[in-house]
Amino acid sequence: MSSLLPVSNTALDRRALKHVQVREYVRGLVSGAAPGSPAPSERELVQQFGVARMTVRQAMDALVADGLLERIPGRGTFVARPKRSASRITGYTEEMTRRGMLAESQTLLARREHAGPGVARALGLTEGDSVIHWRRLRRADGVPMCIEDAYLNEILLPGFLQGGMPTSLYDLLTSRGLRPTWVEDSVSADRATAEEASLLEIEPQGIVMRHSRRALAREKIVEVSRGVFRADRFTLWVQLGQED
Amino acid sequence: MSSLLPVSNTALDRRALKHVQVREYVRGLVSGAAPGSPAPSERELVQQFGVARMTVRQAMDALVADGLLERIPGRGTFVARPKRSASRITGYTEEMTRRGMLAESQTLLARREHAGPGVARALGLTEGDSVIHWRRLRRADGVPMCIEDAYLNEILLPGFLQGGMPTSLYDLLTSRGLRPTWVEDSVSADRATAEEASLLEIEPQGIVMRHSRRALAREKIVEVSRGVFRADRFTLWVQLGQED
DNA sequence: TAGTGGTCTAGACCACTAT
DNA sequence: TAGTGGTCTAGACCACTAG
């Protein structure tokens, strides 16, 4: 089904596990291939790599579990068409960029505070513990879009306030290995307060969407935030996927 | 680690695959067990079932992939603590019940219509195709909460309008094997129209949240809906999870 | 040291698909 | 009939953990 390569091209590297080598070899073949195109058969890979079939199956199992390959009994193994997936967990900058808008932020406040009861509970800390409070006015294509208050667990982010504030919190969290892998969001609709209306440049009592988020990375709460969005310029989109 | 059972208690049923039998046996042991408690060791199961170790590993691999078990090299296999997962895909009835409220619905309209351009595109049909249009006023604990317009692909739901309308659309879809496994939602905030305000029993121009959904089952669009929620009584909650 | 999971071998038979 | 993936065997050696 696929052209046989000389063994020298797929020679085993003694330092790596065999099933990993087979897996990564097949992943390379498959990445970029059109959905439905055939992968090498298991017995073909047994020949190429000189390993047992169970070893090849272990490699292929991983790729099938990843959704890259699809097995069809009696026919072969094929490149799977990408499955519809759930929304990626993003912050404001990434989300607006994805929508083709220019994301800008203006820091209104960035300091260490003692956690009040609400923030402490949300961050899983004790009242009075040190937290980072970062308030920004966030624009999209130059127009005010959102006022965001983020509270961060300072223990997880030492030196955060010294480092010069980044544009994207999520980029920074990613670089520290703390990109959220689970979030709980709530969204409601309300009228803006006078201060909010002024900052967002909307009419007094104008409609806003209030967004709250608790974000976890490595089973720890790294971010708690509240965002107030102009309802006339913001629609929330969410995709949800479920197995079976 | 676990008490040995007489072989007769775990005798092999010739009609079922061995790895499935081992898997379901272990699943039974594990369900309800406290996180962290040990599962039988692989070699123990080899003895009990009289199968090869690779067969036991195949069974355990499935449970590990399901997130029920966790392997710790050198120590054993243990009941994993449940991982935080994404929101379950639900309809109104299920969601309100989950929140501890009584969900009731009043059908305002249920009929076959010819799809307009918007609905046709959303359902992946051609303009003029037959669709089911179902409009309901939905209450929670007796109070109006939402006006929902659902459009359904009639080809996927033959005889739908004849069957007596159910309370829960998602229960019906589930029973027909068409429970959505992927949805795309959008949520925005707005002022109610006069008709909406009247039905929802809120002040004219009161604030509402507009929710739209496209729902897929078996790679086909089964439901397209729009809901208008009273903003004073409804907050949207979403959990999102991501691997790594 | 005994027990665990991780990896790997070299076969085997089956049901199924395509030619 | 030849090839495929699905299942299964009966061993083996390794690194690691715990008493």
Side-chain angles (χ1 to χ4, degrees):
Chain A
M1 282 180 124
S2 75
S3 63
L4 285 169
L5 293 175
V7 173
S8 58
N9 280 6
T10 57
L12 294 185
D13 178 346
R14 295 251 176 98
R15 294 168 309 184
L17 299 177
K18 295 184 180 179
H19 78 266
V20 173
Q21 295 179 59
V22 176
R23 191 223 301 153
E24 295 311 315
Y25 168 74
V26 176
R27 195 199 297 278
L29 285 183
V30 152
S31 73
S37 49
S41 79
E42 296 178 355
R43 287 166 179 85
E44 202 172 336
L45 291 164
V46 166
Q47 290 296 314
Q48 273 188 51
F49 284 87
V51 297
R53 182 150 167 249
M54 286 304 297
T55 306
V56 168
R57 283 187 66 79
Q58 187 177 3
M60 302 296 262
D61 279 345
L63 296 173
V64 170
D66 277 4
L68 266 75
L69 294 180
E70 185 182 8
R71 289 203 250 242
I72 305 183
R75 296 225 299 133
T77 305
F78 303 87
V79 178
R81 53 155 187 53
K83 288 188 179 172
R84 293 176 188 274
S85 63
S87 302
R88 177 175 160 78
I89 293 171
T90 61
Y92 177 87
T93 305
E94 241 173 296
E95 179 59 22
M96 289 304 149
T97 303
R98 199 184 60 76
R99 296 186 187 192
M101 305 176 93
L102 173 65
E104 295 169 304
S105 294
Q106 174 186 346
T107 292
L108 304 177
L109 193 152
R111 66 180 180 202
R112 186 183 297 116
E113 292 180 357
H114 295 294
V119 168
R121 190 173 50 247
L123 275 174
L125 301 175
T126 304
E127 196 175 338
D129 282 355
S130 243
V131 296
I132 297 161
H133 178 189
W134 191 11
R135 162 173 271 216
R136 288 180 284 180
L137 176 63
R138 320 206 66 164
R139 297 171 193 270
D141 287 342
V143 180
M145 177 72 107
C146 168
I147 307 160
E148 184 191 283
D149 284 284
Y151 297 88
L152 308 167
N153 186 339
E154 201 192 13
I155 294 165
L156 297 175
L157 293 163
F160 181 83
L161 289 168
Q162 277 70 53
M165 308 312 276
T167 301
S168 166
L169 171 60
Y170 277 52
D171 277 357
L172 181 133
L173 292 175
T174 301
S175 72
R176 295 207 186 190
L178 287 172
R179 186 184 181 91
T181 53
W182 186 87
V183 296
E184 179 174 62
D185 288 8
S186 75
V187 182
S188 57
D190 196 7
R191 295 183 201 282
T193 66
E195 187 197 2
E196 287 164 353
S198 163
L199 281 167
L200 291 173
E201 299 174 15
I202 57 176
E203 54 174 350
Q205 307 272 306
I207 303 182
V208 293
M209 295 185 71
R210 301 192 182 277
H211 171 255
S212 297
R213 167 168 289 190
R214 279 201 316 151
L216 274 69
R218 302 166 176 271
E219 302 298 321
K220 296 192 189 294
I221 306 170
V222 292
E223 176 211 359
V224 166
S225 64
R226 282 192 287 264
V228 185
F229 289 80
R230 282 176 62 160
D232 61 341
R233 294 182 59 84
F234 184 75
T235 295
L236 181 78
W237 289 88
V238 183
Q239 285 92 40
L240 279 176
Q242 219 118 94
E243 306 296 320
D244 305 345
Chain B
M1 285 178 119
S2 74
S3 64
L4 285 170
L5 293 176
V7 174
S8 58
N9 280 6
T10 57
L12 294 185
D13 178 345
R14 295 249 175 99
R15 295 167 309 183
L17 299 175
K18 295 185 180 179
H19 78 266
V20 172
Q21 295 180 60
V22 176
R23 191 223 301 152
E24 295 311 316
Y25 169 73
V26 176
R27 194 198 297 278
L29 285 183
V30 152
S31 72
S37 50
S41 78
E42 296 178 354
R43 286 166 179 85
E44 202 172 338
L45 291 165
V46 166
Q47 291 296 315
Q48 273 188 50
F49 284 87
V51 298
R53 183 150 167 247
M54 287 305 298
T55 305
V56 168
R57 283 186 66 78
Q58 186 177 3
M60 302 295 263
D61 279 345
L63 296 173
V64 169
D66 276 5
L68 265 76
L69 295 180
E70 185 182 9
R71 288 203 252 241
I72 304 181
R75 297 225 299 132
T77 306
F78 302 88
V79 177
R81 51 153 189 53
K83 288 187 178 171
R84 292 175 190 274
S85 63
S87 302
R88 175 174 161 79
I89 293 171
T90 61
Y92 177 88
T93 305
E94 240 172 299
E95 179 59 22
M96 290 303 148
T97 302
R98 200 184 60 76
R99 296 186 187 193
M101 304 175 93
L102 173 65
E104 294 168 304
S105 293
Q106 172 185 349
T107 293
L108 304 177
L109 192 153
R111 66 180 180 203
R112 186 183 297 118
E113 291 180 1
H114 295 293
V119 168
R121 190 172 51 248
L123 274 173
L125 301 174
T126 306
E127 197 174 336
D129 281 355
S130 243
V131 296
I132 297 161
H133 178 190
W134 190 11
R135 162 172 274 217
R136 287 179 284 180
L137 176 63
R138 320 205 68 165
R139 296 169 192 271
D141 286 342
V143 180
M145 177 72 106
C146 166
I147 307 160
E148 184 191 283
D149 284 285
Y151 297 88
L152 308 167
N153 186 338
E154 201 192 12
I155 294 164
L156 297 175
L157 293 163
F160 181 83
L161 289 168
Q162 277 70 53
M165 308 312 276
T167 301
S168 166
L169 171 59
Y170 277 51
D171 277 356
L172 181 132
L173 292 175
T174 302
S175 72
R176 296 207 186 189
L178 287 171
R179 186 185 182 92
T181 53
W182 186 87
V183 297
E184 180 174 62
D185 288 7
S186 76
V187 182
S188 57
D190 195 7
R191 292 184 202 282
T193 66
E195 188 198 0
E196 288 164 351
S198 162
L199 281 168
L200 292 173
E201 299 174 17
I202 56 176
E203 56 176 347
Q205 305 272 306
I207 302 182
V208 293
M209 295 186 70
R210 299 192 184 277
H211 170 256
S212 297
R213 166 167 291 188
R214 278 201 316 151
L216 274 69
R218 303 168 176 268
E219 302 299 320
K220 298 194 186 294
I221 307 170
V222 292
E223 177 211 0
V224 166
S225 63
R226 283 192 287 266
V228 185
F229 289 80
R230 283 177 61 161
D232 61 342
R233 295 183 60 85
F234 184 75
T235 294
L236 181 77
W237 289 88
V238 183
Q239 285 94 38
L240 279 176
Q242 219 119 92
E243 304 298 318
D244 300 349

